[in-house]
Amino acid sequence: MAKFGFVLHPLSIEDIKSHIGFTRYLPDSLVEWAGKYASPYIASHVTGVRSLTGKEVDGWFAVVPMTPKMMMQDQDYAVKQIIKAGKLLEKQGAQIMGLGAYTSVVKDAGISIAKALDIGVTTGNSYTAYTAGEALLLAAKEVGIDPKSCTLTVVGATGSIGSVLTKVLAPQVGKVILVARNMDRLQSLAEVLKNYDVDYTSNVSEGVRKGDLLITVSSAPEAIIDAEDLQPGAIVVDVSRPRNVAESVAKKRSDVLVLDGGVVRVPGDVEFNFNFGFEPKTAYACMSETMMLALEDWTTDFSLGRDLKEEQVMLTGQWAKKHGFEVIWMRSFDRPVTEAQLDRIRAIRRVS
């Protein structure tokens, strides 16, 4: 029976200070420096992941104490630290390893890391993509929106999750707007989608303002979508961590619905023995993909690089149903979505 490992890292200096008490009294610059040069470590033993089939697996969380900012400033060094974490997980007995948050983004999206390890590696991006699309379509159905009459904006469209999601969702919506920084890559993706109504831009605000339905999966280290960017009645699935949508949107815009993407209920009596800010028995989709691979006894590489296959995405959806992983879409900025929030969106959409 395969065992899994998963690599975590702090999303901010505040994350480090919340987990390591004494650091809250230190200057941010010192905490950042110490985090960069601290060794990766095994943070917890995860138990009780039990499939609907009756099969059960366990695994470990390893932590690389670098923030997104640190990783992007020195990607080669970050890869070395992630490989060290992988070696620790190998010693624990893991046979498949998942890469969380920015550990899946740096350099070549897991390829160099996989080459340096003797176990399978996945970014978890296939199931993350699946859950983002599922959450968006479930939300649209809940408020009575026909996706075929809507414009879908994908921010971070040329990344691994964004590009495959666009290919999966393009046949199900009226129009697609691709948003990313690199115009050449945008043009190439638009050419792949030439059979659909597609436009593209490198201007985030411009693309966001045109979207009825939005998915944002940019690897930007800070918020890039502000309150004034969204049109009334918009539904956004924010997959990125750190978030792409500014938290001020929750206070300023009661007429839009921003959903936390990539949140999943894990089957069984799972104990993570590590607090990453979620309710019990819930995890990120990238973690869940790693657990599903272990349940499938899959010990070779899976979701790697920036060119994911649609077949991989749909396969993770099949595995989720088989094993009992469920997307939790009614969450907004870590709080439950209320019926009143949904009613406001319903009312706006009826008028429009």
Side-chain angles (χ1 to χ4, degrees), residues 67-132:
T67 64
K69 178 183 174 183
M70 299 178 209
M71 290 192 183
M72 299 314 286
Q73 285 176 340
D74 193 343
Q75 295 195 39
D76 288 335
Y77 178 79
V79 166
K80 290 178 182 177
Q81 292 291 83
I82 297 163
I83 291 169
K84 286 181 182 178
K87 294 292 185 183
L88 291 176
L89 290 167
E90 281 184 358
K91 289 180 182 178
Q92 293 292 327
Q95 295 151 287
I96 185 74
M97 181 181 90
L99 301 173
Y102 266 65
T103 66
S104 69
V105 174
V106 293
K107 202 168 182 178
D108 52 14
I111 293 173
S112 296
I113 295 164
K115 287 178 179 177
L117 296 173
D118 296 322
I119 58 176
V121 177
T122 185
T123 60
N125 284 345
S126 292
Y127 189 50
T128 299
Y130 184 90
T131 59

Side-chain angles (χ1 to χ4, degrees), residues 249-265:
V249 172
K251 297 177 181 178
K252 296 178 180 179
R253 296 295 303 274
S254 62
D255 60 341
V256 301
L257 183 61
V258 180
L259 302 174
D260 299 339
V263 183
V264 175
R265 183 175 291 107

Side-chain angles (χ1 to χ4, degrees), residues 102-175:
Y102 266 65
T103 66
S104 69
V105 174
V106 293
K107 202 168 182 178
D108 52 14
I111 293 173
S112 296
I113 295 164
K115 287 178 179 177
L117 296 173
D118 296 322
I119 58 176
V121 177
T122 185
T123 60
N125 284 345
S126 292
Y127 189 50
T128 299
Y130 184 90
T131 59
E134 185 179 16
L136 188 69
L137 295 174
L138 285 170
K141 182 178 180 181
E142 186 68 27
V143 300
I145 297 174
D146 178 7
K148 280 286 189 182
S149 67
C150 292
T151 295
L152 169 68
T153 294
V154 181
V155 179
T158 58
S160 58
I161 297 175
S163 60
V164 76
L165 248 180
T166 304
K167 294 169 189 173
V168 169
L169 292 175
Q172 303 180 62
V173 299
K175 180 175 181 175

Side-chain angles (χ1 to χ4, degrees), residues 98-253:
L99 301 173
Y102 266 65
T103 66
S104 69
V105 174
V106 293
K107 202 168 182 178
D108 52 14
I111 293 173
S112 296
I113 295 164
K115 287 178 179 177
L117 296 173
D118 296 322
I119 58 176
V121 177
T122 185
T123 60
N125 284 345
S126 292
Y127 189 50
T128 299
Y130 184 90
T131 59
E134 185 179 16
L136 188 69
L137 295 174
L138 285 170
K141 182 178 180 181
E142 186 68 27
V143 300
I145 297 174
D146 178 7
K148 280 286 189 182
S149 67
C150 292
T151 295
L152 169 68
T153 294
V154 181
V155 179
T158 58
S160 58
I161 297 175
S163 60
V164 76
L165 248 180
T166 304
K167 294 169 189 173
V168 169
L169 292 175
Q172 303 180 62
V173 299
K175 180 175 181 175
V176 179
I177 297 176
L178 311 172
V179 181
R181 289 174 295 182
N182 188 303
M183 290 298 289
D184 290 337
R185 291 173 66 183
L186 278 170
Q187 188 172 6
S188 296
L189 180 56
E191 182 61 26
V192 171
L193 299 164
K194 62 184 178 183
N195 292 331
Y196 306 101
D197 187 356
V198 176
D199 197 1
Y200 57 91
T201 178
S202 61
N203 186 311
V204 174
S205 295
E206 177 187 327
V208 168
R209 288 191 185 107
K210 295 177 180 177
D212 307 289
L213 304 176
L214 303 97
I215 292 180
T216 179
V217 288
S218 165
S219 58
E222 56 192 18
I224 55 175
I225 298 174
D226 296 318
E228 61 271 18
D229 292 331
L230 295 160
Q231 64 170 281
I235 298 176
V236 188
V237 177
D238 189 350
V239 180
S240 298
R241 296 294 181 274
R243 299 178 189 276
N244 282 171
V245 180
E247 294 202 27
S248 60
V249 172
K251 297 177 181 178
K252 296 178 180 179
R253 296 295 303 274

Side-chain angles (χ1 to χ4, degrees), residues 284-303:
Y284 288 112
C286 50
M287 295 176 181
S288 299
E289 178 176 308
T290 312
M291 297 171 200
M292 286 191 284
L293 288 167
L295 286 166
E296 290 290 318
D297 287 315
W298 190 296
T299 57
T300 56
D301 300 337
F302 192 67
S303 303

